[in-house]
Amino acid sequence: EFRPRLVHRIDKGTSGCVLVAKTLECERVLRAAFDEGRVGKRYLALVEGEYPESEGWDIIDRPLAPDPRRTGRMQVSESGKPSRTRIEVAERFAGFTLLRCEPVTGRTHQIRVHLASEGFPLAVDPLYGHRDAMLLSELKRGYRPKPGAVERPLIDRLTLHAHTICFPDTGEGSNQSITVEAPLPKDYSRVCTQLSKVRPPKS
């Protein structure tokens, strides 16, 4: 019987790549590759704020642990597990930044918590940020929806996209790796397009 097996997870509301094994043996090989750090993941994160200029990749190195005050939430804690995320600017806008993020470790909500701890929460993240949706009226000065019309959000989920994943080829005797890329979905692409139009980077 064919039973696809989910090898890892992404947060609810996150779009992009998810790795699924078609056989039990393939699942074992891929889980071992995750445990050994041989799987690379890259995310695109649209965040609030203008991330500072830097050369190359920055590293956020802060331990994470469950938040005892709120079930399902994580927090930076010295008693937590070591957690590291690599960060690089992909595109700049006035008041927002599109970042490339590579989780070196794989903690729950790692990218979201690390970015928020640096003062750059996801543009849409009701748990660690300030919005549950993004509206054009927030971004475009003087914009008003048509009379009687309800404004639809540009995006109403996490502004986090699992863009690429690189993993070992599970074929017998293969030493190659496979890289898969997920294009931006329409809502994510739409908000980035609007930002480039109405919130170009400050000169």
Side-chain angles (χ1 to χ4, degrees):
E1 183 182 358
F2 176 57
R3 289 180 54 201
R5 294 164 168 84
L6 196 62
V7 180
H8 68 113
R9 298 177 183 276
I10 56 177
D11 294 348
K12 183 179 179 181
T14 300
S15 55
C17 298
V18 176
L19 200 54
V20 179
K22 296 170 69 175
T23 67
L24 179 59
E25 181 56 31
C26 181
E27 179 188 21
R28 288 172 179 159
V29 171
L30 290 174
R31 287 194 183 278
F34 267 99
D35 292 342
E36 295 162 7
R38 294 186 291 118
V39 176
K41 295 187 290 182
R42 179 175 292 182
Y43 291 75
L44 290 174
L46 180 66
V47 301
E48 287 186 18
E50 298 173 16
Y51 196 83
E53 295 283 352
S54 60
E55 295 184 5
W57 293 81
D58 292 335
I59 295 182
I60 302 175
D61 188 351
R62 295 185 175 181
L64 300 179
D67 186 341
R69 299 164 298 180
R70 186 169 177 182
T71 302
R73 195 176 189 275
M74 302 293 287
Q75 65 176 7
V76 172
S77 172
E78 291 305 317
S79 61
K81 294 181 179 179
S83 307
R84 292 179 299 281
T85 305
R86 300 175 74 235
I87 306 292
E88 181 185 56
V89 173
E91 191 171 356
R92 294 185 179 280
F93 311 101
F96 298 88
T97 311
L98 184 65
L99 298 173
R100 299 184 189 94
C101 304
E102 293 185 351
V104 180
T105 51
R107 312 302 178 204
T108 300
H109 300 173
Q110 178 176 309
I111 293 174
R112 297 161 64 189
V113 180
H114 271 172
L115 292 175
S117 73
E118 292 287 313
F120 300 95
L122 293 182
V124 179
D125 187 345
L127 191 58
Y128 301 105
H130 308 112
R131 293 183 188 84
D132 56 12
M134 203 165 184
L135 303 172
L136 182 57
S137 57
E138 288 185 80
L139 307 176
K140 188 175 181 180
R141 184 175 296 175
Y143 173 81
R144 295 289 184 275
K146 294 179 181 179
V150 177
E151 184 180 3
R152 294 183 178 180
L154 294 171
I155 188 169
D156 57 0
R157 61 174 182 83
L158 297 181
T159 49
L160 187 63
H161 177 68
H163 190 228
T164 61
I165 187 165
C166 181
F167 56 94
D169 186 349
T170 57
E172 187 175 350
S174 174
N175 294 317
Q176 303 299 312
S177 62
I178 298 172
T179 300
V180 177
E181 179 178 313
L184 283 177
K186 289 182 180 179
D187 57 352
Y188 207 122
S189 180
R190 180 169 57 240
V191 73
C192 289
T193 298
Q194 288 296 336
L195 282 169
S196 66
K197 290 179 180 179
V198 304
R199 290 290 190 93
K202 299 172 183 176
S203 56

